[in-house]
Amino acid sequence: MRDPFLITTPTIINVSGGRTSALMLRRYLDANGGRLPAETHAVFANVGRERPETLDFLVRCAEAWGVDLRWIERTPGGGFREVTPETASRDGEPRRCFGSGATSAIL
């Protein structure tokens, strides 16, 4: 049976910052020789409301496992920008870009 974590096509892995998400990333790494393939991107979508411990956990995992974890945030107008752990919003700004309504209630 084929390993479900073996990556054979371009892939984006969403990393939320929780333990289960980190375990999934570790499983992908283990199935692919300890590294993500070139066309695979691990991405954390910051909404600016995460706990500092969550952000620290993301940084520690990325450093310990040698993963280029990309941090992105929503911008006004519906786009996205890439940020770093140092420049990531901490006051909910990306979340407010969703406006009012059902989508923002979910976040």
Side-chain angles (χ1 to χ4, degrees):
M1 179 161 100
R2 182 173 115 44
D3 185 338
F5 294 97
L6 183 63
I7 299 170
T8 59
T9 60
T11 304
I12 294 176
I13 300 169
N14 180 47
V15 182
S16 71
R19 291 179 296 183
T20 304
S21 158
L23 173 63
M24 296 296 286
L25 178 58
R26 183 72 251 173
R27 299 277 311 266
Y28 279 113
L29 290 165
D30 292 344
N32 291 277
R35 301 182 57 112
L36 295 178
E39 292 189 20
T40 298
H41 303 280
V43 179
F44 166 63
N46 182 41
V47 296
R49 302 292 298 204
E50 290 80 5
R51 296 173 53 106
E53 297 87 354
T54 300
L55 303 178
D56 292 342
F57 179 66
L58 286 162
V59 169
R60 287 194 321 270
C61 287
E63 288 175 353
W65 298 338
V67 173
D68 180 19
L69 180 61
R70 313 296 285 270
W71 291 43
I72 61 170
E73 294 180 347
R74 185 79 185 254
T75 60
F80 291 87
R81 69 176 170 216
E82 188 167 351
V83 296
T84 67
E86 295 77 29
T87 63
S89 299
R90 303 274 197 292
D91 295 320
E93 298 94 337
R95 183 175 184 259
R96 286 192 290 273
C97 291
F98 287 99
S100 60
T103 304
S104 64
I106 294 170
L107 299 173

